[in-house]
Amino acid sequence: MDEGGSRIRRRVSLPKRNRPSLGCIFVGPTAAELEPGDEGKEEEEMVAENRRRKTAGVLRVEHNDSEEDMFGDYDSFTENSFIAQVDDLEQKYMQLPEHKKHATDFATENLYSESIKNKLSITTIGNLTELQTDKHTENQSGYEGVTVEPGADLLYDVPSSQAIYFENLQNSSNDLGNCSMKERDWKSSSHNTVNEELPHNCIEQRQQNDEDSSKVRISSDMNRRKSIKDHLKSAMTGNAKAQTPIFSRSKQLKDTLLSEEINVAKKTIESSSNDLGPFYSLPSKVRDLYAQFKGIEKLYEWQHTCLTLNSVQERKNLIYSLPTSGGKTLVAEILMLQELLCCRKDVLMILPYVAIVQEKISGLSSFGVELGFFVEEYAGSKGRFPPTKRREKKSLYIATIEKGHSLVNSLIESGRIDSLGLVVVDELHMIGEGSRGATLEMTLAKILYTSKTTQIIGMSATLNNVEDLQKFLQAEYYTSQFRPVELKEYLKINDTIYEIDSKAENGMTFSRLLNFKYSDTLKKMDPDHLVALVTEVIPNYSCLVFCPSKKNCENVAEMICKFLSKEYLKHKEKEKCEVIKNLKNIGNGNLCPVLKRTIPFGVAYHHSGLTSDERKLLEEAYSTGVLCLFTCTSTLAAGINLPARRVILRAPYVAKEFLKRNQYKQMIGRAGRAGIDTTGESILILQEKDKQQVLELITRPLENCYSHLVQEFTKGIQTLFLSLIGLKIATNLDDIYHFMNGTFFGVQQKILLKEKSLWEITVESLRYLTEKGLLQKDTICKSEEEVQHNFHVTKLGRASFKGTIDLAYCDILYRDLKKGLEGLVLESLLHLIYLTTPYDLISQCNPDWMIYFRQFSQLSPAEQNVAAILGVSESFLGKKASGQAIRKKVDKDVVNRLYLSFVLYTLLKETNIWTVSEKFNMPRGYIQNLLTGAASFSSCVLHFCEELEEFWVYRALLVELTKKLTYCVKAELIPLMEVTGVLEGRAKQLYSAGYKSLMHLANANPEVLIRTIDHLSRRQAKQIVASAKMLLHEKAEALQEEVEELLRLPSDFPGAVASSTDKA
């Protein structure tokens, strides 16, 4: 049956029902029953006899005369019948000796296998009767009084032909020995899920049968079955003869029920028992959820091919590469769901940016609530180390690169790395990008070295030197050039547009001349004809204009709006007014003057200068078509998915650097929206002087990615060695060198190392760490000749790698914290904020000395005392502000760090980015990034202090400070902002509407939210409710586990050992 067809979902789970049902009559046989021999006969006779004894006392149901038989026109057992087809199946099965010993796990739903579909073609029965109890059968009084205890006879309401077979299934499954209590509990908990998968009429039938079905007598003529054919033949005839409630025919089950049971038998023979259903081994409910939540009803051909690759089925590591918008993420999500639901293992998904992590959390929380797994956020300051160990449900960890590394470290340290079944890395090409690439490489190398059962899946749109990555990850490779929407690439020189054509002599062919009447004023203002290019698509279609810098984004947006006609103001005018109103609300009445002028035309800029609230609101307005044009920087191309009909590259530059092929592909990849556009266009605007470079750009291959493990010294190889020794992965020189050979750098060492060998670099790095006081060397004499040097981490070394502190700053941090203990000022938060202000942002800070002096003079005496302790005096700032020469030497880094602390301190007091932005004359986006960085660094400092006894006083203080920096809102809004996707503006709206706690949100009706909260889409409302439910379930589960842990008898309890000895 086609995987997209309608199916009846059913599961038999006998030990879990208090009352049996007629809902499951046909069940595929076990492998044990298929083996010939006298032993099988004897067992069946014994089971039959046992069954007769069990049902001897069951009351007889009132006889019903029914002329209908169960099989309609298909009761023939001739050559073309269903039984004959099953006989063919059995014969093929008997020729496959390797399948004879497969056991059947009848509680799972093995309903589909593409490989079997190709091997065996079985025609389903055309006219099948529905099993339905007659509404007039009401003789129930004797039945209702019977109480069925767990473990008692649960089969008294099914025909004798099935009852014996169910017992055989039970016996054979008990022999498996690998069905743990946890699995059975999970299956029980998923019972409701299965019911939801049934069509409405089938659910009603099942409920009615559970209530109305009566007891039947067991016939004893079923004791000589040897094969599937004989068994099913006997089962059908027995069903027809047995005294059962009246059944009526239904054409709704025509091509479904028996076909499902055939598939159960086929799957039992052909595959393992972790197959739960027809949608790539997942229940059909997963397919329904994708249709419901994401509108995906059918997979692309390449997605099907990728999911059915042998390497995927065999759980080998995989790298796959497709153009942007090709649908890579869906494949990863299905593989993650397989791991969570079928293999019962945790999954880690690593994404490049916090915004993408939060978007993915919102998108997958609904699946977690429906399918019974947790979705946990590891980004910024969020995430628990080690993660909570769940009793039953599995966890999907969605993390940034840095938090993913910390998570893997904590799992290795706690001995739980094998619980991680799958790691998915999006944008795998980032392994070649600076310190973040080095961190990603370390994470993957540790997983490969410490866990042989964890599968790694990497995906990217821009990979070139795949062979190196394959060797590093020991992975298979799959690629396709598929795009759901055709992409046409154009170049614009002056007023001529050329289409990029690889077959042409110079790489491009003439397409058209721009036909747009330009006034002299417009020509001066818009020499690149941007107005002409955008007005060809907006407002009916969307457009992105990529600009080289943030300031250029704002200028271009304003310039375009100056020359747009007044007609553009009328397009979705009401909705655009709502956007402006909401922007004012989240800015406490403040609105960017540029956005105030451009949004009425449907135009806005998008860059890092926006706050998170503003960015989220504008993105939603763009996605819904209220805004039709974004002028943006290249970061949007690597961020969340905002596709457009046309993408225009304002110039072949990012800032002052010439465009790279990878960046170009990322940007133009946003052109063409699947399901909306039939084609996508990209236009690169260039000057004559750049023509040759651009022609090279569009024809050359993608850039190779190279390891930065050694290049990023303190954040790369040194951090790696410290954690290897701290986690006891490798503690001597030979083991560390062996580990390094298995890294991405080890694979590329011949290319990357010119002057020194890998061995020399390893020795030098270990010597440096030892000299810095992070490692200690132990000498072990194995023999008179052989001496081995082992390493172990010092307390400072352990604190540094546990806190993921950049080793360039770890000794400075230790010194600052130590000095802070001598006179920690707790009358305000200023001193603590200074200690958690990130070191790496200091170099970017250029204080405005007048503002600095003014803010200093407004401090209280206690706050000025903090500055004095740090060595920054009022006289120093006064001289700097007035431009006088400074004779006394003051540490510039301390001065700059204190200035950033002032910004953060003011922000925590006022909780309004706009007012702080005006006070310090800083972009509001920069202040938001400073706040996010401080929250993350505060979390790192907290973990650093937890490893050093002398800093015990900081622990409780930093927990609260981290929370304040993370949310930076009034205390009453924090519970709402814990929900992924709820930022300050939305939290205020929800609080004003009466939703004041997590419980309120988790129990909210999305439809009511849409009506009560301004500018909230249905998709957003559903995601917020799902995220709240997920978070509430996580907290409830954690509390439940804590209770059970408290009530559990300790393993080291004195009497426990003695009692176990007595029993032995």
Side-chain angles (χ1 to χ4, degrees):
M1 183 184 287
D2 177 41
E3 78 177 40
S6 63
R7 296 175 182 276
I8 303 296
R9 310 292 297 112
R10 41 201 308 126
R11 174 180 292 158
V12 181
S13 186
L14 296 177
K16 300 300 172 191
R17 299 189 312 187
N18 288 332
R19 183 164 293 195
S21 166
L22 286 173
C24 299
I25 299 298
F26 302 107
V27 183
T30 62
E33 286 185 334
L34 299 177
E35 296 197 27
D38 294 331
E39 288 180 13
K41 277 189 191 178
E42 290 172 9
E43 280 182 28
E44 288 181 66
E45 287 172 6
M46 286 172 67
V47 172
E49 183 62 28
N50 190 23
R51 177 68 189 152
R52 284 195 294 274
R53 282 199 302 270
K54 281 185 179 180
T55 56
V58 176
L59 296 175
R60 184 192 300 249
V61 116
E62 187 179 337
H63 183 70
N64 295 301
D65 292 319
S66 174
E67 295 300 321
E68 289 185 84
D69 70 47
M70 282 187 63
F71 311 112
D73 299 330
Y74 289 89
D75 57 350
S76 168
F77 295 142
T78 59
E79 202 173 292
N80 295 323
S81 72
F82 164 57
I83 295 297
Q85 295 165 32
V86 174
D87 194 39
D88 291 342
L89 169 63
E90 183 193 9
Q91 295 302 320
K92 290 181 180 181
Y93 157 77
M94 296 302 285
Q95 294 169 15
L96 299 170
E98 66 272 21
H99 293 306
K100 288 187 181 182
K101 297 195 177 181
H102 274 194
T104 304
D105 184 0
F106 60 92
T108 58
E109 301 169 48
N110 303 325
L111 300 174
Y112 182 82
S113 170
E114 190 64 35
S115 60
I116 298 174
K117 183 178 176 184
N118 295 336
K119 293 177 188 174
L120 305 171
S121 179
I122 297 182
T123 310
T124 58
I125 289 183
N127 185 13
L128 180 67
T129 58
E130 180 184 9
L131 311 180
Q132 197 171 37
T133 308
D134 189 354
K135 291 178 184 176
H136 302 292
T137 306
E138 296 179 1
N139 189 10
Q140 305 292 317
S141 57
Y143 173 77
E144 288 176 359
V146 178
T147 303
V148 182
E149 295 296 325
D153 183 13
L154 301 178
L155 301 169
Y156 54 78
D157 68 328
V158 298
S160 57
S161 54
Q162 292 296 298
I164 298 172
Y165 182 57
F166 280 148
E167 289 186 4
N168 286 344
L169 281 174
Q170 181 99 35
N171 294 338
S172 64
S173 79
N174 288 341
D175 291 338
L176 293 177
N178 62 350
C179 185
S180 66
M181 182 63 73
K182 282 186 180 179
E183 289 178 67
R184 291 199 297 274
D185 288 345
W186 176 73
K187 287 166 188 169
S188 174
S189 71
S190 62
H191 181 69
N192 292 336
T193 303
V194 177
N195 277 345
E196 289 169 17
E197 295 167 7
L198 290 165
H200 184 67
N201 65 325
C202 191
I203 295 171
E204 287 182 354
Q205 167 205 327
R206 181 166 181 161
Q207 289 171 345
Q208 189 175 350
N209 287 343
D210 281 344
E211 294 171 4
D212 302 336
S213 60
S214 20
K215 304 176 187 177
V216 295
R217 298 177 85 188
I218 298 298
S219 60
S220 59
D221 55 351
M222 296 294 154
N223 57 358
R224 289 188 293 273
R225 295 182 299 284
K226 299 178 185 176
S227 66
I228 301 177
K229 174 182 173 183
D230 290 334
H231 166 71
L232 286 175
K233 180 175 177 180
S234 302
M236 291 178 180
T237 53
N239 285 348
K241 291 177 183 178
Q243 292 181 355
T244 58
I246 296 174
F247 297 108
S248 61
R249 219 176 265 175
S250 168
K251 300 201 173 182
Q252 282 184 308
L253 302 182
K254 183 176 173 185
D255 287 319
T256 55
L257 187 56
L258 288 183
S259 173
E260 293 292 298
E261 306 310 323
I262 295 169
N263 280 330
V264 170
K266 291 195 295 184
K267 274 305 257 191
T268 299
I269 292 168
E270 295 289 333
S271 72
S272 60
S273 62
N274 64 358
D275 189 350
L276 298 182
F279 186 65
Y280 302 99
S281 300
L282 292 165
S284 59
K285 182 173 184 180
V286 175
R287 180 183 56 213
D288 298 338
L289 290 175
Y290 269 108
Q292 180 186 339
F293 295 142
K294 300 194 174 186
I296 298 171
E297 296 186 355
K298 190 178 179 183
L299 269 65
Y300 298 129
E301 188 178 335
W302 84 262
Q303 291 171 328
H304 172 75
T305 305
C306 189
L307 285 166
T308 52
L309 288 171
N310 287 336
S311 54
V312 174
Q313 305 295 326
E314 294 165 11
R315 288 183 53 78
K316 291 180 180 176
N317 295 344
L318 176 71
I319 300 168
Y320 62 98
S321 175
L322 280 98
T324 304
S325 304
K328 297 184 294 295
T329 307
L330 179 59
V331 169
E333 286 180 9
I334 291 172
L335 292 171
M336 291 191 298
L337 291 174
Q338 285 178 355
E339 197 69 28
L340 290 160
L341 303 180
C342 303
C343 302
R344 310 290 298 138
K345 290 281 193 84
D346 295 328
V347 174
L348 168 62
M349 185 179 202
I350 298 176
L351 300 168
Y353 304 111
V354 175
I356 306 178
V357 167
Q358 291 174 342
E359 184 187 31
K360 188 59 67 180
I361 293 265
S362 298
L364 290 177
S365 289
S366 304
F367 287 84
V369 171
E370 294 289 337
L371 299 170
F373 60 86
F374 291 114
V375 182
E376 299 183 37
E377 180 180 349
Y378 280 79
S381 60
K382 292 186 178 180
R384 184 180 298 192
F385 303 103
T388 306
K389 194 172 184 179
R390 307 292 181 187
R391 292 176 305 142
E392 293 176 11
K393 292 183 179 179
K394 297 302 169 186
S395 291
L396 169 57
Y397 312 115
I398 302 183
T400 55
I401 292 171
E402 293 77 14
K403 286 290 180 179
H405 183 222
S406 299
L407 179 66
V408 168
N409 281 347
S410 69
L411 288 172
I412 293 171
E413 187 175 32
S414 58
R416 288 165 50 195
I417 189 65
D418 286 333
S419 69
L420 199 61
L422 174 65
V423 175
V424 173
V425 182
D426 195 8
E427 309 296 355
L428 184 61
H429 62 270
M430 288 194 74
I431 201 169
E433 295 185 13
S435 61
R436 304 194 79 212
T439 304
L440 180 57
E441 181 181 345
M442 288 188 276
T443 307
L444 296 175
K446 286 175 187 173
I447 293 166
L448 289 166
Y449 195 85
T450 57
S451 176
K452 302 304 176 190
T453 58
T454 304
Q455 184 183 15
I456 296 173
I457 305 284
M459 53 180 170
S460 174
T462 54
L463 283 177
N464 191 30
N465 55 332
V466 182
E467 296 81 8
D468 289 347
L469 283 165
Q470 274 186 269
K471 192 174 178 183
F472 164 48
L473 295 176
Q474 300 148 37
E476 303 287 320
Y477 179 58
Y478 175 83
T479 187
S480 168
Q481 292 306 310
F482 172 81
R483 264 187 68 93
V485 177
E486 183 189 4
L487 173 62
K488 292 181 179 178
E489 298 176 48
Y490 297 96
L491 300 176
K492 179 191 160 298
I493 305 172
N494 298 322
D495 59 352
T496 309
I497 294 178
Y498 301 90
E499 183 171 0
I500 293 174
D501 184 0
S502 56
K503 296 174 185 175
E505 187 177 341
N506 60 351
M508 61 183 190
T509 55
F510 173 81
S511 176
R512 64 189 172 97
L513 285 170
L514 265 181
N515 184 19
F516 190 84
K517 292 179 181 178
Y518 266 75
S519 64
D520 292 338
T521 309
L522 184 52
K523 279 181 184 176
K524 289 178 184 177
M525 295 285 291
D526 183 24
D528 295 325
H529 308 96
L530 279 171
V531 173
L533 292 172
V534 300
T535 50
E536 288 178 350
V537 287
I538 66 167
N540 295 322
Y541 298 100
S542 56
C543 181
L544 295 175
V545 179
F546 283 102
C547 303
S549 67
K550 288 187 282 189
K551 190 62 185 170
N552 193 233
C553 288
E554 298 178 29
N555 292 340
V556 168
E558 284 206 274
M559 182 274 293
I560 289 172
C561 290
K562 280 181 183 175
F563 296 101
L564 289 178
S565 71
K566 302 296 181 187
E567 291 297 314
Y568 286 90
L569 295 170
K570 297 176 184 176
H571 182 75
K572 298 195 176 183
E573 187 175 3
K574 186 181 175 184
E575 290 91 336
K576 287 185 287 197
C577 288
E578 279 294 309
V579 173
I580 291 174
K581 180 184 167 187
N582 280 287
L583 281 170
K584 278 186 178 177
N585 287 340
I586 62 176
N588 291 322
N590 296 289
L591 176 64
C592 170
V594 176
L595 291 176
K596 186 179 180 180
R597 290 191 289 270
T598 62
I599 286 175
F601 288 93
V603 179
Y605 65 86
H606 185 289
H607 57 59
S608 60
L610 294 167
T611 66
S612 302
D613 279 313
E614 289 174 319
R615 200 156 49 238
K616 194 172 183 67
L617 190 59
L618 292 174
E619 286 165 358
E620 186 63 30
Y622 178 86
S623 298
T624 53
V626 177
L627 297 178
C628 53
L629 174 65
F630 265 171
T631 57
C632 50
T633 54
S634 60
T635 51
L636 184 137
I640 67 168
N641 189 20
L642 291 174
R645 164 65 72 93
R646 176 176 288 179
V647 169
I648 300 169
L649 279 68
R650 170 84 172 71
Y653 292 90
V654 173
K656 294 180 181 179
E657 290 185 16
F658 197 80
L659 201 63
K660 294 178 182 176
R661 175 73 173 165
N662 288 357
Q663 293 170 324
Y664 172 72
K665 293 294 281 185
Q666 287 270 18
M667 291 181 194
I668 67 170
R670 295 294 180 216
R673 297 170 298 173
I676 300 173
D677 299 329
T678 52
T679 184
E681 301 171 339
S682 73
I683 301 173
L684 171 56
I685 299 172
L686 64 143
Q687 306 303 319
E688 198 68 48
K689 65 183 178 68
D690 294 322
K691 183 177 176 182
Q692 194 54 44
Q693 265 185 293
V694 168
L695 289 175
E696 289 173 13
L697 168 75
I698 61 176
T699 53
R700 67 169 172 250
L702 295 163
E703 288 85 7
N704 291 338
C705 59
Y706 295 107
S707 170
H708 279 68
L709 199 58
V710 172
Q711 194 174 332
E712 296 290 334
F713 202 52
T714 56
K715 288 186 178 180
I717 193 168
Q718 290 182 8
T719 299
L720 174 61
F721 287 178
L722 190 63
S723 62
L724 287 180
I725 295 163
L727 296 169
K728 297 181 172 59
I729 297 171
T731 55
N732 60 63
L733 185 57
D734 290 334
D735 289 347
I736 293 169
Y737 178 69
H738 174 65
F739 182 96
M740 279 299 294
N741 276 302
T743 61
F744 188 41
F745 182 83
V747 170
Q748 295 182 324
Q749 58 181 295
K750 290 181 180 176
I751 305 168
L752 299 176
L753 293 179
K754 304 295 182 186
E755 298 173 2
K756 297 177 183 177
S757 67
L758 182 57
W759 176 267
E760 288 173 319
I761 287 173
T762 305
V763 171
E764 278 182 20
S765 298
L766 289 169
R767 186 187 300 122
Y768 177 86
L769 290 169
T770 307
E771 289 170 358
K772 201 164 184 179
L774 301 172
L775 290 181
Q776 278 186 353
K777 188 192 289 188
D778 303 322
T779 304
I780 300 172
C781 297
K782 289 192 169 183
S783 63
E784 292 182 5
E785 297 177 356
E786 189 178 357
V787 176
Q788 181 176 304
H789 296 292
N790 278 7
F791 294 90
H792 72 265
V793 291
T794 61
K795 287 183 179 180
L796 179 60
R798 174 167 292 280
S800 298
F801 96 78
K802 290 293 282 291
T804 61
I805 305 293
D806 185 342
L807 299 187
Y809 307 121
C810 65
D811 49 352
I812 303 171
L813 174 64
Y814 179 81
R815 190 175 65 243
D816 286 347
L817 292 170
K818 190 81 173 171
K819 188 178 179 183
L821 288 178
E822 295 170 9
L824 189 61
V825 179
L826 294 178
E827 288 182 49
S828 73
L829 288 172
L830 182 59
H831 202 166
L832 277 176
I833 289 171
Y834 173 81
L835 293 172
T836 55
T837 301
Y839 291 104
D840 55 354
L841 294 178
I842 295 171
S843 60
Q844 304 168 21
C845 176
N846 292 305
D848 183 315
W849 298 107
M850 279 302 297
I851 293 172
Y852 203 160
F853 180 71
R854 194 182 307 127
Q855 290 299 316
F856 187 95
S857 60
Q858 293 173 4
L859 295 177
S860 68
E863 290 163 346
Q864 287 188 0
N865 187 33
V866 174
I869 291 170
L870 298 171
V872 181
S873 65
E874 187 173 9
S875 61
F876 167 79
L877 294 177
K879 288 178 180 179
K880 290 292 285 186
S882 59
Q884 295 179 33
I886 307 291
R887 294 177 185 175
K888 187 180 176 182
K889 191 176 180 183
V890 178
D891 190 331
K892 184 184 174 185
D893 287 346
V894 172
V895 173
N896 288 3
R897 194 179 185 208
L898 183 61
Y899 185 68
L900 293 178
S901 302
F902 279 7
V903 177
L904 289 168
Y905 182 51
T906 310
L907 187 58
L908 284 188
K909 284 196 297 185
E910 301 187 11
T911 69
N912 186 343
I913 286 179
W914 279 91
T915 55
V916 177
S917 172
E918 288 171 11
K919 270 186 183 178
F920 287 89
N921 194 25
M922 286 179 166
R924 59 194 183 281
Y926 174 82
I927 293 174
Q928 174 117 57
N929 292 336
L930 172 63
L931 180 66
T932 306
S936 183
F937 187 63
S938 176
S939 174
C940 293
V941 175
L942 172 60
H943 293 304
F944 181 88
C945 292
E946 283 173 344
E947 298 300 319
L948 296 167
E949 279 295 321
E950 60 200 291
F951 295 146
W952 63 271
V953 72
Y954 288 118
R955 293 176 201 167
L957 296 171
L958 289 176
V959 169
E960 285 305 309
L961 180 63
T962 302
K963 187 179 279 190
K964 285 178 181 291
L965 289 168
T966 300
Y967 300 111
C968 192
V969 291
K970 291 177 181 175
E972 64 263 23
L973 297 180
I974 288 177
L976 298 176
M977 289 186 66
E978 286 179 345
V979 178
T980 303
V982 176
L983 300 174
E984 183 182 358
R986 186 71 74 207
K988 285 178 180 176
Q989 286 180 310
L990 291 167
Y991 192 85
S992 301
Y995 298 95
K996 299 183 178 182
S997 70
L998 183 62
M999 287 77 79
H1000 286 164
L1001 271 188
N1003 291 290
N1005 182 338
E1007 297 301 322
V1008 176
L1009 280 180
I1010 295 166
R1011 291 196 296 270
T1012 54
I1013 306 298
D1014 289 338
H1015 208 75
L1016 181 68
S1017 69
R1018 182 170 277 99
R1019 182 177 65 85
Q1020 281 180 311
K1022 287 180 177 178
Q1023 286 180 348
I1024 286 172
V1025 172
S1027 296
K1029 282 181 180 175
M1030 175 63 63
L1031 191 57
L1032 194 63
H1033 288 169
E1034 279 181 34
K1035 292 190 173 186
E1037 179 96 358
L1039 289 171
Q1040 205 168 343
E1041 285 169 6
E1042 192 175 338
V1043 169
E1044 291 187 2
E1045 187 65 33
L1046 287 170
L1047 297 176
R1048 191 177 295 124
L1049 187 70
S1051 57
D1052 57 351
F1053 184 69
V1057 180
S1059 61
S1060 62
T1061 310
D1062 293 341
K1063 285 180 183 177

